[in-house]
Every structure is written in C-alpha cells, then in structure tokens.
Amino acid sequence: MKLKVVYRKVSDYIRHDLKEIVLPSSLPDPPHVVKRRKLTWHERFLVLKEASRLYAASWVRDIGPELRPNDYKKQGDAEPKKQAKDTEKEPSVLEDLAVAARGGMETLRPALHRVYMTRASNYKDALASFVKGYHEGVQQVMQNKEEAQVPKDESSDNSKKTS
C-alpha cells in the first residue's frame, strides 16, 4: 500500500511539478481565446508534407534549376533557353569556390587567394575614394571659411583708407 502511494506521488511530481519547474508555463490565455483542436495524424502528415515541399522549393530557387530540371520543363520551352543563356555567363564566386573545393586543396587555395585579393582591391578602392571625397569636402569647407573672412578684411581695409 505504501509503495503505491509513493509511486503515485512521484509520478504526480514528475508529471506536473517537475515539468513546471523545468519548463514553466506562460500566463493562461484570456477567456475570449478559443483553443484549436488537436490535429489528427493524417492532418499532421499533410502539414509536414506541404512544409517539406515548400522548404525544398525554396532550396531549388536558391540553388537553381540544375538540381531539378524536370520542374523547369513544365514552364515552357522559351524559359529554359533564356535561363541557359543566363547561366552561360561567367560563374559566380560561390560556384567557382564549389568547383575548386571538389578539386581538393591544390585548386581551392588559388581560388580563395583570388577571392581575398578581389576583396582587398575592392576595399582599397573604396578607401581611396573615401579619402579623395573627404579631402574635397575639407577643401570646400576651407574655401568657404576663406571667402567668409575676405569681405571682413576688405571692409576694415576700406575704412582705414577713407580715414
């Protein structure tokens, strides 16, 4: 009898109190909120199926039609030709790195060096243009100050000459 009481108290503690200590519940919902019913297993499966379809579609949009060419044939014959012309352009940096990574460290090192050198030259150009613009701004401010001081000096020179 005592074992049954101890078991019930421990199970109640684990089920209610421990759960509340580890994961405290938020404030209760206001009275006007209607709780939704639980989904059936079939409905859960349909939700999971739709979510995974949308997730996969987002990856296809990001990566491109190469992974799923059958989906792009449905759009019409003109679209894939346009996309093929667009993809014939120079490969992007990510594509270049992906191809280099497949080739191993010998091909990856020059590709990474090229990326870093391109970034460095872009930063250098941006910094040079900022410095040039800053100097132009300083020169304009200095010219404005000189122009503001010149009339005052001339007016004081004119008053000395008349007296």
Side-chain angles (χ1 to χ4, degrees):
M1 188 72 159
K2 289 183 180 182
L3 187 63
K4 189 176 182 181
V5 172
V6 170
Y7 175 75
R8 189 186 66 208
K9 288 193 177 205
V10 168
S11 65
D12 286 345
Y13 175 77
I14 291 173
R15 214 174 325 150
H16 301 288
D17 298 334
L18 186 64
K19 180 179 133 187
E20 193 65 32
I21 292 170
V22 174
L23 301 167
S25 62
S26 60
L27 294 173
D29 291 331
H32 67 277
V33 173
V34 178
K35 291 186 179 182
R36 288 191 274 167
R37 65 177 177 81
K38 288 190 176 183
L39 298 176
T40 63
W41 284 104
H42 180 68
E43 291 170 336
R44 288 180 186 178
F45 172 73
L46 293 177
V47 167
L48 180 65
K49 182 179 169 184
E50 181 67 14
S52 61
R53 186 190 67 77
L54 291 172
Y55 181 71
S58 72
W59 273 95
V60 169
R61 270 194 312 270
D62 291 344
I63 295 173
E66 295 85 25
L67 294 179
R68 297 176 66 170
N70 296 334
D71 290 348
Y72 287 87
K73 289 181 183 176
K74 296 176 186 174
Q75 295 176 356
D77 293 333
E79 289 294 325
K81 291 178 184 175
K82 290 179 184 177
Q83 291 176 355
K85 289 179 183 176
D86 292 342
T87 56
E88 291 175 4
K89 295 179 184 175
E90 186 175 319
S92 71
V93 175
L94 288 177
E95 293 169 349
D96 195 23
L97 285 176
V99 170
R102 287 188 200 120
M105 196 59 181
E106 297 82 26
T107 57
L108 186 60
R109 184 172 286 136
L112 285 174
H113 182 71
R114 195 169 44 252
V115 167
Y116 289 130
M117 292 307 290
T118 309
R119 272 192 172 174
S121 67
N122 288 341
Y123 287 140
K124 181 180 157 190
D125 294 341
L127 186 62
S129 115
F130 172 77
V131 168
K132 183 180 176 183
Y134 185 80
H135 282 302
E136 290 174 0
V138 168
Q139 287 176 354
Q140 287 177 355
V141 168
M142 294 304 287
Q143 286 175 355
N144 290 342
K145 283 186 177 181
E146 288 174 1
E147 290 173 1
Q149 289 178 355
V150 169
K152 291 179 182 176
D153 293 338
E154 290 176 359
S155 62
S156 62
D157 291 340
N158 288 340
S159 63
K160 289 180 183 178
K161 289 179 184 177
T162 55
S163 42

